[in-house]
Amino acid sequence: MTPPSPTAAPPASVPPASVDVAIVGGGAIGAAAAWGLCALAGFGGSVAVIERDPSYAGASVALNAGGIRAQFSTAVNIALSAYGVEVLRAFPDLFADGPARPDPNFHEHGYLFLAATRAQEAAMRATHAAQTAAGAEVALLSPAEVAARFPHLRLDDIRLASLGLRGEGWFDNMGLHGAMLRAARAAGARVIRDEAVGFDMRGGRVAAVRLASGARLACGVAVNAAGPRAGTVAGWAGLDLPIEPRKRTLFVFDCARPPAGDLPLMIDPTGVFCRPEGTGFLAGAPPVEDPAVPPEDLDPRHAEFEDIVWPALAARAECFEAIRLRRFWAGHYEWNRFDRNGVVGAHPDVPNLIHAAGFSGHGLQHAPGVGRGVGELIAQGGYRSLDLSPLGWARLLENRPLIEEEVI
């Protein structure tokens, strides 16, 4: 994982009077939408990405664990992950800049889910069936098989495990973001350093995006890629999008006697996860209480390490009994209260506002596929590669949740 850093040439300070497509938010999904529209879908119109903080220091894209996995419960998410892996594997050629061939630092070591109860075992078998049906390479392992691969783990309470054999691991989060944004700019998109603060509506359509600077950016299509703020942006158009910021704290620690070998990202039955990070490890856990927080609240929950993370890891492996916390930070999930899945597409009441938000912690890994889909939707009038229609507004309007069970 890399720290936040500028990912492109300095954004323009003076916006144009109008563009064909205005993208609100320049994080993972906003950058991917611009890339998908300009570089993949061949859109010939003008595109502007509006980003309030071009350093991305407080953006979800810079503050996450940079993981990608096939082990989801819904087919559309499995397909999005598969496309994300294609992009990571083709990265040096796809985002080559002259002789420079960038490396996404993709560590393809898998995710290891552990099940300790009958309910967890049943859920694991059900999701494994969905994963294999979608073509994912995931193995169910007995405790003895896990012990043979990863002898440092204590497995007396474990009934079953699932391990991604291919197409899972972690990568350079800001490297992917920067590559997509640079490719979008090279294909004609521009980045505007300003904050979107509202929409001008006309006849049930977005006529313009209002900016904090006082400028007004007229547009033919607007894209809501505002991450944890996407619910607020939808509200500017009179829409109720059930997305809110939920805080997650990540911890990096050193281990006195680290286990050997290429280790996967392990998800303990408690929900605590841990993976290698350089010479140490990165870990986190879902909080006991998980309220919505203000978008500006990035204060880490320090107590989670002592109360949740360390006890679970120490119980799971003797080597994790002696660890030293090195650093920590907090970021936000763009949490979809309805079903923990992304919302992609337009609401029928506002047909020129395309939403791409609410991925509830898996937005970065699915950004390339979502960006490609949004680009096709705008430039070609429909999905031509990945079918993202299951993530459309219809399920919300008809009260048909597409619940993603595997949210870490």
Side-chain angles (χ1 to χ4, degrees):
M1 175 168 182
T2 55
S5 61
T7 57
S13 58
V14 179
S18 66
V19 292
D20 293 303
V21 180
I23 300 172
V24 179
I29 299 297
W35 171 64
L37 187 59
C38 298
L40 300 184
F43 184 68
S46 54
V47 177
V49 178
I50 304 164
E51 173 52 46
R52 58 192 294 273
D53 178 15
S55 75
Y56 299 98
S60 296
V61 64
L63 299 171
N64 68 78
I68 188 165
R69 57 189 166 98
Q71 295 184 71
F72 285 96
S73 65
T74 51
V76 65
N77 286 336
I78 299 169
L80 282 166
S81 289
Y83 180 71
V85 169
E86 287 182 26
V87 169
L88 290 173
R89 289 179 176 157
F91 200 94
D93 295 323
L94 191 60
F95 297 111
D97 183 9
R101 292 169 54 81
D103 183 355
N105 293 309
F106 182 29
H107 300 272
E108 198 171 350
H109 300 322
Y111 276 52
L112 176 69
F113 285 79
L114 301 177
T117 67
R118 291 184 182 275
Q120 288 175 338
E121 179 185 359
M124 182 174 287
R125 292 188 184 278
T127 54
H128 179 259
Q131 291 154 10
T132 55
E137 296 184 48
V138 179
L140 292 181
L141 304 177
S142 68
E145 290 171 319
V146 176
R149 290 173 180 259
F150 311 111
H152 66 288
L153 295 177
R154 292 168 172 154
L155 301 166
D156 291 345
D157 61 328
I158 298 303
R159 301 176 63 90
L160 189 67
S162 64
L163 175 66
L165 303 179
R166 278 176 53 84
E168 292 191 334
W170 51 95
F171 58 92
D172 181 350
N173 49 336
M174 294 305 286
L176 174 62
H177 173 261
M180 292 189 297
L181 197 57
R182 284 190 296 271
R185 290 174 65 94
R190 64 183 297 175
V191 178
I192 297 172
R193 180 177 182 175
D194 210 329
E195 181 177 3
V197 295
F199 291 145
D200 287 341
M201 304 295 297
R202 185 178 302 124
R205 299 175 66 86
V206 177
V209 182
R210 298 198 305 272
L211 305 178
S213 62
R216 177 182 180 275
L217 180 63
C219 59
V221 175
V223 177
N224 178 5
R229 293 176 169 83
T232 298
V233 172
W236 298 341
L239 303 177
D240 182 14
L241 183 60
I243 294 173
E244 61 193 22
R246 298 282 185 93
K247 185 158 58 175
R248 295 292 183 271
T249 303
L250 295 177
F251 303 92
V252 174
F253 63 87
D254 293 322
C255 180
R257 291 175 288 117
D262 291 332
L263 302 180
L265 188 153
M266 182 200 70
I267 302 92
D268 192 73
T270 60
V272 172
F273 67 87
C274 177
R275 69 158 172 84
E277 171 68 11
T279 59
F281 292 85
L282 181 147
V288 175
E289 296 182 359
D290 193 19
V293 298
E296 299 79 16
D297 179 3
L298 291 171
D299 292 333
R301 295 188 176 117
H302 306 88
E304 289 179 4
F305 185 76
E306 295 282 348
D307 296 345
I308 303 174
V309 174
W310 188 12
L313 293 179
R316 185 58 55 201
E318 182 180 358
C319 60
F320 289 144
E321 293 178 359
I323 61 178
R324 179 182 62 185
L325 184 61
R326 188 166 49 179
R327 58 193 179 97
F328 45 84
W329 66 90
H332 292 146
Y333 280 6
E334 46 181 284
W335 192 262
N336 181 353
R337 298 191 307 273
F338 184 68
D339 59 9
R340 304 188 293 275
N341 252 323
V343 178
V344 183
H347 188 288
D349 291 347
V350 189
N352 75 328
L353 176 58
I354 307 297
H355 303 267
F359 298 95
S360 303
H362 45 274
L364 175 61
Q365 62 188 292
H366 291 169
V370 171
R372 182 172 185 173
V374 169
E376 293 171 350
L377 194 61
I378 296 172
Q380 301 169 22
Y383 300 124
R384 299 291 183 263
S385 51
L386 297 173
D387 181 11
L388 304 186
S389 59
L391 300 179
W393 271 89
R395 75 185 199 276
L396 282 76
L397 300 177
E398 298 166 9
N399 196 27
R400 293 185 290 102
L402 180 68
I403 295 176
E404 177 50 62
E405 302 288 354
E406 299 296 340
V407 173
I408 299 174

